[in-house]
Amino acid sequence: MKATIPPSHSPYTVPGIVDRYVSDDPEKILKMVADYYDLTLDQIRHKTRLKNIVIPRQVAMFLYKKHTRLSLAEIGRICGNKDHASVLHSVKSVNNMIDTNFETVRLDVAKLELKLK
């Protein structure tokens, strides 16, 4: 039988972040990312495929997935009505950028995660 790990003990969630950043305002992480990249919420949610907007949007989805218990559909709704497949693609893209030494994204994610604590 496969053991299940309760969400509170998952290595993908940081205790307290769900309560501090999402329960009272689900858009707080998105606002933080938009501010960090000097974008508006409308810009980050827009359907554009410009790199300077796509990467921040992907980083936001990555942070939501890693640090909250929101469903993929909820994350997609917050980030501009994206579907769950777009959220999964974004998370994988950011993971790949981090794993392949894409230094700018790695540093951005690290700085944003420090702001979450």
Side-chain angles (χ1 to χ4, degrees), residues 8-50:
S8 60
H9 293 90
S10 169
Y12 302 107
T13 59
V14 176
I17 286 181
V18 171
D19 297 330
R20 275 188 18 217
Y21 282 91
V22 177
S23 61
D24 58 337
D25 181 5
E27 294 185 344
K28 278 192 177 179
I29 291 176
L30 190 64
K31 290 174 186 173
M32 181 186 67
V33 171
D35 286 345
Y36 180 82
Y37 287 101
D38 198 27
L39 298 170
T40 66
L41 287 177
D42 287 340
Q43 287 175 310
I44 209 165
R45 285 188 182 121
H46 196 266
K47 293 183 184 263
T48 186
R49 293 184 183 180
L50 293 173

Side-chain angles (χ1 to χ4, degrees), residues 1-114:
M1 181 190 312
K2 188 175 181 181
T4 59
I5 300 172
S8 60
H9 293 90
S10 169
Y12 302 107
T13 59
V14 176
I17 286 181
V18 171
D19 297 330
R20 275 188 18 217
Y21 282 91
V22 177
S23 61
D24 58 337
D25 181 5
E27 294 185 344
K28 278 192 177 179
I29 291 176
L30 190 64
K31 290 174 186 173
M32 181 186 67
V33 171
D35 286 345
Y36 180 82
Y37 287 101
D38 198 27
L39 298 170
T40 66
L41 287 177
D42 287 340
Q43 287 175 310
I44 209 165
R45 285 188 182 121
H46 196 266
K47 293 183 184 263
T48 186
R49 293 184 183 180
L50 293 173
K51 188 176 180 178
N52 66 321
I53 294 177
V54 170
I55 290 177
R57 184 187 312 128
Q58 289 178 332
V59 167
M61 290 184 199
F62 172 84
L63 291 171
Y64 274 110
K65 177 70 174 132
K66 183 174 179 183
H67 295 290
T68 71
R69 296 181 194 140
L70 295 174
S71 71
L72 297 175
E74 290 169 319
I75 295 169
R77 183 189 52 75
I78 292 167
C79 295
N81 291 320
K82 308 298 180 205
D83 62 22
H84 74 283
S86 296
V87 176
L88 278 177
H89 173 75
S90 294
V91 171
K92 288 178 184 179
S93 294
V94 173
N95 273 322
N96 287 339
M97 286 185 255
I98 290 170
D99 292 344
T100 57
N101 295 326
F102 200 91
E103 202 61 33
T104 306
V105 173
R106 180 188 296 170
L107 289 173
D108 289 349
V109 169
K111 288 176 186 177
L112 287 163
E113 287 181 320
L114 284 174

